[in-house]
Amino acid sequence: MIQKFIIRENRPRLLLFFAGWGADESPFRTLRPEGADWMICYDYRTLDFDSEPLTGYAGITLVGWSMGVWAACRVMERHPGLPVTDSLAINGTPYPIDELRGIPPAVFDGTLRHLDARRLWKFQRRICGSAEAHRDFLRTAPQRPVEELTEELSAIRRMCAEASGTPFAWSKAVVGTEDLIFPPENQRRAWAGGEAEAVEETAAPHYGEALFRQYLNAV
């Protein structure tokens, strides 16, 4: 896992953001949460997490997006002592490869088997929801090689097959009703089990600059 500070000004609070599969910091650099340092995590070929840079923060707001919801759950299992005071899951679930509560396995495995530059472009088009939003996204799209992204998908597939520990309890889950990656109905089912204290729906695609400005800038 890669951990990068976007803002590191020794503020008392930290926004700890777990991005989705295939991400890096590029699409998120313009977001400026008020009054908090900001670390982004991505590249889930491993879930090795260094908690040392987080010592000293009085409170941590945890945000997971897409596959980052699952990754954050696994990290929190291993680091239960982190001072998380608030948490938000956006367009993802703790069950990322699941017929009824995540991405259907056939869809995930098809992406894993056939990923190439053309299919990655199509995936990015789907997360944005519209051609105009996709054009904007491409200006700051992650620049990671397809081979690396295939390794990441394969690692996620393997780790999802492993048993997890105690489920992490999220403060809120946000379901984008126009999400074409994590079906909204599957998200609703995933959160129906009580793993989020509140569930909010919003008319948004899987990825959207306005979506992140609404929730991350408010931290």
Side-chain angles (χ1 to χ4, degrees):
M1 182 186 303
I2 294 174
Q3 301 168 235
K4 286 190 177 181
F5 275 99
I6 305 299
I7 300 174
R8 193 174 193 179
E9 299 177 351
N10 296 317
R11 296 171 177 177
R13 296 190 304 114
L14 173 71
L15 169 61
L16 179 60
F17 177 54
F18 286 78
W21 164 75
D24 64 15
E25 71 275 19
S26 302
F28 306 102
R29 280 194 172 277
T30 60
L31 298 172
R32 312 301 292 181
E34 296 183 5
D37 284 354
W38 182 19
M39 173 183 280
I40 183 172
C41 305
Y42 62 90
D43 188 353
Y44 305 131
R45 286 179 289 178
T46 79
L47 292 181
D48 295 339
F49 183 84
D50 181 10
S51 62
E52 182 62 27
L54 279 59
T55 59
Y57 286 104
I60 295 173
T61 296
L62 175 69
V63 179
W65 166 61
S66 188
M67 199 63 68
V69 174
W70 160 81
C73 287
R74 290 295 181 91
V75 168
M76 291 302 109
E77 290 171 10
R78 301 173 185 179
H79 299 273
L82 291 175
V84 175
T85 57
D86 195 21
S87 56
L88 177 67
I90 303 174
N91 284 342
T93 78
Y95 317 98
I97 309 172
D98 191 279
E99 192 69 43
L100 298 177
R101 300 176 298 174
I103 299 171
V107 174
F108 186 97
D109 291 340
T111 302
L112 175 57
R113 284 195 302 269
H114 304 297
L115 187 65
D116 57 19
R118 182 178 66 86
R119 288 180 176 85
L120 177 60
W121 186 94
K122 291 177 66 176
F123 172 82
Q124 293 173 338
R125 169 65 174 81
R126 284 174 60 81
I127 71 172
C128 294
S130 72
E132 181 180 2
H134 185 220
R135 285 194 297 271
D136 290 340
F137 173 80
L138 290 177
R139 297 190 184 104
T140 57
Q143 300 298 315
R144 296 174 56 194
V146 171
E147 295 77 14
E148 183 176 297
L149 301 187
T150 300
E151 292 174 2
E152 186 179 0
L153 276 181
S154 181
I156 291 169
R157 189 67 169 104
R158 183 184 68 255
M159 288 186 283
C160 282
E162 301 170 355
S164 62
T166 304
F168 178 75
W170 294 83
S171 303
K172 180 188 287 187
V174 174
V175 177
T177 58
E178 299 169 14
D179 194 333
L180 299 178
I181 306 300
F182 278 79
E185 188 57 38
N186 284 15
Q187 293 186 53
R188 295 184 187 106
R189 273 191 289 262
W191 298 118
E195 292 180 37
E197 295 176 14
V199 180
E200 179 178 314
E201 297 197 8
T202 184
H206 188 67
Y207 169 91
E209 186 173 345
L211 177 69
F212 290 109
R213 288 194 182 280
Q214 177 182 353
Y215 289 104
L216 270 65
N217 281 355
V219 168

